[in-house]
Amino acid sequence: MHPILTHNLGFPRIGADRELKRALEAYWRGDLSKEALEDTGRTLRRRHWQQQADAGLSWIPTGDFAWYDQVLTLSATLGNVPVRHRAEARNTGAEPGSHSECGCSEPIDAPEAPEGPCRQVDLDTLFRMARGRAPTGAASSACEMTKWFDTNYHYLVPEFHPDQTFELSYRQIIDETREAIALGHQVKPVILGPLSYLWLGKEKADNFDRLSLLEALLPAYQQLLDALADAGAKWVQIDEPILVLDLPAAWQQAFEPTYHRLQNRAVKLLLATYFGALGENLSTAVQLPVAGLHIDAVRAPEQLLNVVDRLPVHKVLSVGIIDGRNIWRTDLRAARETLAELTERLGERLWLAPSCSLLHVPVDLKREQALEPELKSWLAFALQKVDEVVTLAQLLAPEPAPSALAALEASDQSVRSRRESRRVHNPAVQERLSAISPTDSQRQSRFAQRSAKQQALLQLPEFPTTTIGSFPQTDDIRQARRAYKQGQLSEVEYRNRMRQAIADAIVRQEQLGLDVLVHGEAERNDMVEYFGEQLDGYAFTQFGWVQSYGSRCVKPPIIYGDVARPRAMTTQWARYAQSLSRRPVKGMLTGPITMLFWSFVRNDQPRSVTARQIALALRDEVKDLETSGIQIIQIDEPALREGLPLKRKDWGEYLDWAVEAFRLSASGVNDETQIHTHMCYSEFNDIIDAIAALDADVITIETSRSQGELLDAFEQFSYPNDIGPGVYDIHSPNVPPVEAMVTLMEQAAQRLPKERLWVNPDCGLKTRGWAETEAALANMVSAARRLRERSSDAA
């Protein structure tokens, strides 16, 4: 029997100590040279390749490393760079005829060579596309950013125009493949497939369909495959995750001719799907002219035998048997039983892998020394998951190695420990869940009645101004938090430092003239982690960092047991902030759905049950804030759209329990208490009725990067409550001009009643500096005043 081949779909790129994050931010500040940044990336890549090789993988991925985002890298590779960014790339001072602009290794014959896409793409071009600014080139509006399927990872949305051209223009994946092969690794480059790439983009002109660009796009893909073959690749993993979606007929029918065009004798293609079942696309996927197919057997185990039955006898089947999106240790015995029949039927055509890229999990569990040993024994991070893949292949051999059998016994013990542990189940929480009634998720009165009472109490002007919640986390704030956690700062000293930061934020907001204030969240490390640290059923890591976008990393909590709130979490800070101002100060909470999806959630009960547990804990906090005199309470739910199942048939059930969980958390207050929520970087058109069903008095959303496009859903639906369309992009350091914000709000007022419009940034300001924050907010307040003046003149 031939050994079963093992591989990985992608590895975390940020580094176990967030080395890439720190290097990127230093480069953007001007504190690190481009050469030093590139050295950091090279060091990380080589380390990760070696770690996977040492684990025993048969194939190691290349192309999974990205300076900001893998979709952005592909856009650059294909020459799909918006004109506003491409034009600026010529002003970098590069030598004529050189490739210092693009980093590619191909020669240019003469300085007078015509300028093509390759002469217009360099590392700073990527950063201008992602951030709107880079160390070189002029500032420009950044590309839109949104969630990668139903994950908390964000990608940069490709922009498409009717006259779009594509050409191999940036060679990062090619050069890194050549680099890995030179180091002696057996590699499998990873690229996003052409149909998924088009699907994930957006038309930037009216009356054309981006699918019509497929014919122009495919030659660039052929160039890329040829270049990867020339670099030494034997296999290329080409990801088409949209095959797990409900595809329109035209898109489904486009797959066969596309992959006939992409057949390449020099490289074999492994078509990778993940995050769900192939469903109606099963016949399409198994018949494509590729050498192998990867499927997700964690998210969709029910598809496994159907795929095996339909797969042509000459094709490899890669089974994603290890969960690439969660941190729970694999039940190796159960996985081996699942694979046993496949081993007999497929033989050497069976490959094993994680279900998807390991981008979504932390790097190394071994570094977690503070986790309670029992809980730690239930977990596996990226390196451990690679080990599990290799171990499973060994366990399927006729005579498994002793080390594999020892790992199997350890897995059995972990499964028993978790199933029997008393820390997982809380009878009091179960009793409270069973006592929930329908009235618990209903406000006392309808919005129109509540709104009148709230305005009588709050006396807010037309176009009221506010922010989303967080203010800059300065070095002083971070140092104080770090010193307190390390025992170098007493609790009294720490609280005084946080009070000083809150007081400073209140003074700054009053001086700016904001109408509704926030306390700034100085005491919060993260909008989910902060609350999870104060709830039963949550655990935390020291180094469990995961990339959210670019240099932004999060450390998701682990929900391992029943969730309950032992004591108040935010009331003391909210009370103190409100005591400093006569203007209303919002109480700030993270909603139950976001607390659920931005954590590593337990997989031993339905997510709906865990969501209701969190909602009840937050309900108690909302009531305590109201009792403390807080008149406005914001319950953020940026993950509501993210949690939407990928198959439309599953939407109804999810939205029912997700909406109920939010309302359960928010509905215990009086009419006079105004409930806000916030959502960002999501498409709302298809769930606008569910957003309305949340019945929040005010919703704030992102509209700046999409130039107000997201408001279309609220207009067409006739959204009934108040709305704050974000007027500037907080993920860019650019300070927005007053007139741009006025224009955006006037566009909003043409779609929605001006009496129901608020003025705010599109997200929290935690990652920005005070200088740019105050400048941007001053312009925002000026914009609101100008709107009021124009409204008054019109009246």
Side-chain angles (χ1 to χ4, degrees):
M1 175 180 175
H2 292 277
I4 293 174
L5 295 183
T6 57
H7 69 109
N8 188 14
L9 278 68
F11 198 81
R13 61 181 71 115
I14 58 170
D17 289 310
R18 294 178 293 162
E19 296 95 323
L20 184 59
K21 167 192 172 66
R22 294 189 173 93
L24 284 169
E25 293 175 353
Y27 175 67
W28 295 335
R29 290 193 305 268
D31 296 338
L32 191 72
S33 69
K34 183 177 292 187
E35 292 73 21
L37 174 62
E38 290 171 342
D39 283 344
T40 299
R42 187 178 303 110
T43 298
L44 286 172
R45 289 194 302 272
R46 293 185 176 190
R47 179 198 304 166
H48 298 158
W49 292 335
Q50 192 60 53
Q51 287 173 325
Q52 294 173 84
D54 291 344
L57 285 181
S58 308
W59 297 99
I60 295 168
T62 60
D64 53 343
F65 179 85
W67 295 107
Y68 201 97
D69 160 55
Q70 71 270 15
V71 181
L72 174 64
T73 302
L74 182 61
S75 289
T77 302
L78 300 171
N80 183 17
V81 178
V83 173
R84 64 187 183 277
H85 304 117
R86 186 169 65 237
E88 295 301 334
R90 298 177 187 148
N91 299 325
T92 61
E95 290 295 323
S98 78
H99 279 273
S100 59
E101 293 180 76
C102 66
C104 90
S105 59
E106 295 298 298
I108 293 179
D109 293 333
E112 61 270 22
E115 290 198 14
C118 191
R119 296 291 298 279
Q120 299 169 358
V121 179
D122 73 340
L123 197 55
D124 281 1
T125 306
L126 269 67
F127 296 146
R128 283 192 297 275
M129 292 171 69
R131 306 176 66 245
R133 181 184 295 184
T136 63
S140 55
S141 59
C143 295
E144 188 176 344
M145 186 165 61
T146 195
K147 295 295 179 69
W148 175 252
F149 295 86
D150 58 349
T151 75
N152 189 30
Y153 179 77
H154 302 65
Y155 73 94
L156 273 296
V157 179
E159 299 181 8
F160 296 122
H161 299 268
D163 57 351
Q164 193 84 42
T165 60
F166 304 93
E167 184 178 350
L168 184 58
S169 305
Y170 183 68
R171 299 180 59 88
Q172 178 183 329
I173 181 175
I174 302 161
D175 291 341
E176 290 173 4
T177 298
R178 197 184 301 275
E179 175 188 0
I181 291 173
L183 293 170
H185 297 303
Q186 187 91 337
V187 303
K188 171 178 54 65
V190 178
I191 60 175
L192 183 65
L195 285 155
S196 290
Y197 178 70
L198 288 173
W199 178 273
L200 294 170
K202 179 174 286 188
E203 293 94 344
K204 303 304 288 186
D206 295 333
N207 302 318
F208 101 97
D209 181 357
R210 60 190 181 277
L211 184 58
S212 66
L213 297 175
L214 182 60
E215 185 66 23
L217 177 62
L218 290 181
Y221 266 88
Q222 290 170 322
Q223 287 180 303
L224 177 55
L225 291 173
D226 287 341
L228 290 171
D230 290 343
K234 299 294 188 293
W235 280 83
V236 172
Q237 175 187 317
I238 188 161
D239 291 2
E240 290 285 9
I242 66 167
L243 280 168
V244 305
L245 305 180
D246 299 315
L247 293 177
W251 287 81
Q252 190 180 62
Q253 293 164 7
F255 272 90
E256 184 177 359
T258 293
Y259 279 87
H260 275 289
R261 289 275 300 276
L262 292 182
Q263 290 184 86
N264 189 306
R265 292 182 180 178
V267 292
K268 296 179 179 180
L269 298 184
L270 176 70
L271 185 81
T273 67
Y274 37 80
F275 300 157
L278 290 166
E280 294 183 357
N281 301 317
L282 172 59
S283 295
T284 298
V286 297
Q287 294 300 328
L288 290 178
V290 294
L293 174 67
H294 172 85
I295 60 171
D296 188 333
V298 175
R299 276 292 191 90
E302 72 282 358
Q303 70 175 331
L304 195 50
L305 292 180
N306 287 336
V307 172
V308 173
D309 289 341
R310 303 283 293 278
L311 192 74
V313 295
H314 62 278
K315 290 187 180 181
V316 163
L317 179 63
S318 167
V319 177
I321 195 67
I322 306 296
D323 193 344
R325 289 185 52 173
N326 213 334
I327 44 68
W328 302 107
R329 189 170 181 166
T330 302
D331 183 341
L332 293 179
R333 189 171 298 277
R336 185 175 69 166
E337 291 174 1
T338 298
L339 296 169
E341 180 181 350
L342 304 188
T343 306
E344 293 181 7
R345 294 179 61 179
L346 296 173
E348 63 183 9
R349 293 193 295 126
L350 175 63
W351 290 15
L352 299 184
S355 59
C356 61
S357 170
L358 297 176
L359 170 71
H360 309 287
V361 296
V363 176
D364 189 4
L365 180 65
K366 291 180 180 178
R367 306 188 66 215
E368 300 296 335
Q369 300 303 314
L371 278 176
E372 200 280 333
E374 182 186 41
L375 176 59
K376 185 176 178 179
S377 74
W378 303 342
L379 309 179
F381 291 176
L383 286 173
Q384 289 71 45
K385 289 178 182 293
V386 170
D387 287 338
E388 288 182 330
V389 172
V390 175
T391 298
L392 262 178
Q394 294 171 348
L395 288 171
L396 292 168
E399 296 183 7
S403 60
L405 294 174
L408 179 63
E409 177 55 34
S411 172
D412 290 343
Q413 185 175 350
S414 170
V415 170
R416 286 193 301 270
S417 168
R418 187 177 173 204
R419 184 176 58 242
E420 299 169 0
S421 176
R422 293 183 178 181
R423 72 175 68 235
V424 173
H425 305 289
N426 184 334
V429 173
Q430 300 297 329
E431 287 181 23
R432 193 175 181 193
L433 278 178
S434 65
I436 292 175
S437 69
T439 57
D440 290 331
S441 56
Q442 297 175 6
R443 294 291 296 271
Q444 295 174 0
S445 306
R446 294 182 178 274
F447 169 73
Q449 297 169 281
R450 302 196 309 263
S451 181
K453 294 178 182 179
Q454 292 161 12
Q455 180 58 20
L457 178 67
L458 297 170
Q459 294 292 303
L460 295 174
E462 195 174 44
F463 299 106
T465 56
T466 189
T467 63
I468 302 305
S470 60
F471 274 129
Q473 292 260 321
T474 64
D475 289 340
D476 286 345
I477 290 173
R478 294 179 188 275
Q479 289 169 5
R481 185 185 302 119
R482 185 162 49 248
Y484 174 58
K485 285 193 171 184
Q486 293 174 352
Q488 300 168 0
L489 197 67
S490 71
E491 183 170 350
V492 171
E493 291 173 315
Y494 171 73
R495 291 186 180 280
N496 286 338
R497 295 274 287 275
M498 294 301 102
R499 283 182 167 231
Q500 290 170 9
I502 291 170
D504 177 61
I506 295 294
V507 169
R508 290 177 190 256
Q509 291 172 87
E510 289 196 325
Q511 291 174 343
L512 287 164
L514 289 162
D515 300 306
V516 174
L517 314 185
V518 296
H519 80 290
E521 304 181 13
E523 80 287 359
R524 302 186 188 183
N525 44 13
D526 174 82
M527 65 182 292
V528 173
E529 185 176 12
Y530 174 77
F531 290 99
E533 286 176 334
Q534 302 179 75
L535 293 170
D536 293 340
Y538 275 81
F540 297 86
T541 62
Q542 293 172 285
F543 306 102
W545 295 101
V546 176
Q547 184 182 25
S548 179
Y549 61 86
S551 67
R552 170 68 171 156
C553 300
V554 295
K555 191 149 58 70
I558 299 167
I559 306 177
Y560 67 85
D562 290 338
V563 178
R565 187 197 75 147
R567 63 190 66 84
M569 301 181 286
T570 66
T571 53
Q572 59 171 323
W573 304 113
R575 239 188 342 253
Y576 174 68
Q578 186 62 79
S579 73
L580 302 175
S581 179
R582 294 183 178 180
R583 301 180 189 185
V585 179
K586 290 191 286 189
M588 303 298 305
L589 304 174
T590 302
I593 302 305
T594 303
M595 289 291 296
L596 180 80
F597 282 107
W598 289 6
S599 300
F600 291 121
V601 65
R602 58 191 292 191
N603 58 0
D604 60 339
Q605 70 178 13
R607 292 189 173 194
S608 58
V609 175
T610 306
R612 291 186 182 96
Q613 293 178 356
I614 301 169
L616 289 174
L618 293 174
R619 181 183 181 91
D620 294 341
E621 188 73 12
V622 169
K623 288 182 177 179
D624 283 351
L625 284 168
E626 182 183 56
T627 302
S628 298
I630 304 303
Q631 300 167 333
I632 302 177
I633 301 170
Q634 182 169 309
I635 308 172
D636 289 342
E637 282 293 23
L640 180 71
R641 178 63 174 80
E642 172 188 317
L644 195 67
L646 298 180
K647 290 287 200 303
R648 187 175 287 271
K649 67 179 177 61
D650 302 320
W651 285 12
E653 179 184 1
Y654 162 72
L655 289 171
D656 284 347
W657 64 255
V659 168
E660 183 212 359
F662 178 87
R663 293 179 61 140
L664 189 61
S665 70
S667 296
V669 296
N670 296 319
D671 286 349
E672 290 79 3
T673 298
Q674 190 174 78
I675 298 293
H676 290 219
T677 191
H678 171 68
M679 299 177 187
C680 55
Y681 300 107
S682 294
E683 298 291 343
F684 298 127
N685 303 56
D686 44 11
I687 61 164
I688 188 64
D689 52 347
I691 292 174
L694 297 176
D695 200 24
D697 297 303
V698 182
I699 179 175
T700 53
I701 63 169
E702 179 278 328
T703 57
S704 60
R705 285 203 179 193
S706 60
Q707 289 79 49
E709 292 176 7
L710 293 180
L711 283 175
D712 292 344
F714 292 85
E715 176 191 19
Q716 295 163 6
F717 180 76
S718 297
Y719 185 75
N721 300 8
D722 286 6
I723 183 169
V727 294
Y728 77 91
D729 176 17
I730 66 90
H731 294 94
S732 170
N734 299 336
V735 174
V738 172
E739 197 55 43
M741 292 188 276
V742 170
T743 298
L744 195 150
M745 287 303 301
E746 287 180 337
Q747 292 172 350
Q750 293 172 4
R751 303 173 180 183
L752 299 164
K754 65 180 183 178
E755 297 80 12
R756 293 199 279 109
L757 290 174
W758 287 59
V759 183
N760 46 264
D762 64 14
C763 205
L765 297 160
K766 175 181 178 180
T767 60
R768 302 267 59 93
W770 267 116
E772 64 194 76
T773 293
E774 289 189 292
L777 291 179
N779 286 358
M780 189 186 82
V781 171
S782 296
R785 288 173 179 158
R786 192 172 300 178
L787 288 163
R788 292 168 194 156
E789 291 168 0
R790 293 183 182 180
S791 177
S792 177
D793 293 343

